Amino acid sequence: MAILRFPDQDRIVEDDTAIRTELAPAGIDYERWSLDRVPSDCSADEVLAAYEAEIDEMKRRGGYVTADVIDVNPQTPNLDAMLARFDKEHTHLEDEVRFVLAGHGIFFLALDKGVAAVEVHPGDMLRVPRGTRHWFTLCADKRIRAIRWFQDTTGWTPHYTESGVDKGYQPLCFGPAYLGQRVESSITPVQNA
Ligand SMILES: [Fe+2]
């Protein structure tokens, strides 16, 4: 499940319900969905077929017209250039909606109450409303496979804020898979905060 951090407040939220409560005022939805629908090595078409009900429900909820599966791994051509498009603070004219099937990443969200870093793991669904200032980075495994929804694929172009705020936050992942790489931190985990 996701890990929510507020780096400026030395605060970590790891409880699903508490994460939802923290993100809801910004209109951000966080949900946990089942991963047992398809084997991890299935094709994109099999994923889209297996999750058809959820995909259609999200389309109804958010007015999305299409969905696809993005699949990124360390062998993806021009991976660093691709990631560089999204690791600086930006907005989109449409929602950014992801259901993570494999891999890990961090959505940094510039909220009224400060920057929130949402580390997403397999089974996490995150919906970030249009206009939300954010940036994204992969974890050390440089792997993410996710279902994406679009209201209009042309709306997903990043509009950079040029604020430079992203430079002040380390793209460090804290999940269980990264304990071996975890750096010293003064952050104290807080449950049900
Ligand atoms: Fe984005």
Side-chain angles (χ1 to χ4, degrees):
M1 67 171 207
I3 299 173
L4 169 61
R5 287 183 289 127
F6 292 94
D8 299 329
Q9 303 165 24
D10 284 356
R11 192 157 69 89
I12 294 183
V13 184
E14 297 187 74
D15 174 80
D16 279 1
T17 303
I19 291 174
R20 268 190 285 281
T21 301
E22 292 279 0
L23 298 178
I28 297 167
D29 293 336
Y30 167 66
E31 297 176 5
R32 287 284 302 168
W33 291 6
S34 170
L35 283 169
D36 59 9
R37 203 74 56 78
V38 287
S40 59
D41 59 350
C42 68
S43 70
D45 285 345
E46 287 170 323
V47 169
L48 295 173
Y51 286 95
E52 185 176 14
E54 287 86 351
I55 289 170
D56 288 347
E57 174 59 19
M58 285 299 290
K59 286 179 178 175
R60 275 191 291 275
R61 282 168 59 183
Y64 312 114
V65 296
T66 185
D68 71 3
V69 176
I70 184 172
D71 203 330
V72 170
N73 61 57
Q75 284 74 48
T76 298
N78 302 315
L79 175 60
D80 289 341
M82 178 195 299
L83 294 176
R85 290 189 69 203
F86 301 109
D87 68 359
K88 298 165 191 64
E89 189 184 63
H90 63 273
T91 61
H92 301 286
L93 296 176
E94 68 169 84
D95 301 349
E96 187 159 328
V97 192
R98 302 288 182 268
F99 170 55
V100 181
L101 298 156
H104 313 83
I106 308 177
F107 285 91
F108 287 92
L109 307 161
L111 307 182
D112 290 345
K113 58 184 173 185
V115 170
V118 184
E119 185 178 316
V120 290
H121 297 177
D124 291 329
M125 192 291 293
L126 194 68
R127 191 184 70 85
V128 180
R130 71 187 77 180
T132 304
R133 290 181 292 126
H134 69 281
W135 62 102
F136 177 80
T137 184
L138 290 180
C139 295
D141 57 359
K142 295 200 170 184
R143 169 93 174 103
I144 194 106
R145 190 180 204 206
I147 300 176
R148 310 185 290 188
W149 284 258
F150 299 98
Q151 286 149 331
D152 172 354
T153 51
T154 61
W156 200 54
T157 303
H159 298 272
Y160 300 106
T161 65
E162 309 287 354
S163 71
V165 65
D166 43 271
K167 294 185 179 69
Y169 296 89
Q170 293 230 29
L172 294 173
C173 296
F174 280 67
Y178 299 92
L179 290 177
Q181 300 173 30
R182 195 165 179 166
V183 299
E184 285 301 313
S185 169
S186 60
I187 293 175
T188 304
V190 176
Q191 297 286 346
N192 302 317

